[in-house]
């Protein structure tokens, strides 16, 4: 088994706002697509790597800061990402924290109210 996680979904109430939030703070381009009448914003990933999407399907998932926590790879720029969170409509819940051999982490609330982790791995 390469990764314990194969897929993740980040629920949104306002899909475009959520896509803009993650594009802004992570400096990425989320690809919008429709699969079986569901609009999804696909996070970039290479073939065979963990993948995921922003979804807007209030039938089965609602934004929350109480559930499972996903950590996004912050690369070498956790400080830069955190500097963009509030201006993009989010909130820093736990600031950059040293976690020893695992690098640094932070928790944020995204523009939809989801709690999300960010991790900068130790080199």
């Amino acid at each position: 088994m390469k990764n314990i996680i194969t897929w993740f979904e980040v629920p949104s109430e306002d899909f475009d706002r959520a896509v803009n939030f993650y594009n802004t703070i992570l400096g990425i381009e989320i690809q919008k697509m429709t699969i079986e009448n569901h609009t999804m914003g696909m996070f970039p990933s290479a073939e065979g790597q963990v993948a995921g999407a922003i979804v807007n399907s209030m039938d089965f998932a609602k934004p929350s800061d109480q559930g499972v926590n996903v950590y996004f790879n912050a690369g070498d720029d956790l400080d830069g990402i955190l500097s963009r969170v509030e201006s993009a409509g989010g909130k820093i819940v736990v600031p950059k924290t040293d976690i020893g051999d695992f690098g640094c982490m932070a928790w944020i609330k995204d523009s939809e109210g989801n709690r999300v982790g960010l991790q900068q791995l130790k080199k």
Side-chain angles (χ1 to χ4, degrees):
M1 179 180 347
K2 289 183 182 179
N3 296 304
I4 193 70
I5 297 171
T6 60
W7 178 257
F8 65 89
E9 293 178 343
V10 177
S12 68
E13 288 182 5
D14 183 323
F15 178 78
D16 290 327
R17 178 179 66 196
V19 168
N20 185 56
F21 176 82
Y22 285 104
N23 280 341
T24 300
I25 70 160
L26 297 175
I28 60 174
E29 187 65 35
I30 292 174
Q31 179 184 1
K32 296 179 185 179
M33 61 184 351
T34 301
I35 301 173
E36 296 185 15
N37 298 324
H38 295 285
T39 302
M40 304 176 95
M42 306 295 288
F43 285 93
S45 66
E47 188 174 328
Q49 292 185 343
V50 175
I54 296 169
V55 297
N56 188 268
S57 180
M58 300 307 285
D59 295 338
F60 67 90
K62 295 181 182 175
S64 171
D65 64 354
Q66 301 296 309
V68 174
N69 206 24
V70 172
Y71 283 79
F72 290 108
N73 185 343
D76 294 329
D77 192 27
L78 180 56
D79 291 320
I81 291 171
L82 291 173
S83 75
R84 297 186 290 271
V85 167
E86 292 185 0
S87 65
K91 180 180 177 182
I92 297 170
V93 177
V94 174
K96 183 177 177 180
T97 303
D98 187 309
I99 53 174
D101 290 341
F102 299 103
C104 298
M105 58 76 64
W107 279 358
I108 63 170
K109 273 192 186 178
D110 71 7
S111 60
E112 306 306 294
N114 296 300
R115 180 188 61 208
V116 178
L118 300 166
Q119 184 176 8
Q120 180 176 323
L121 297 173
K122 191 170 190 172
K123 292 183 180 181

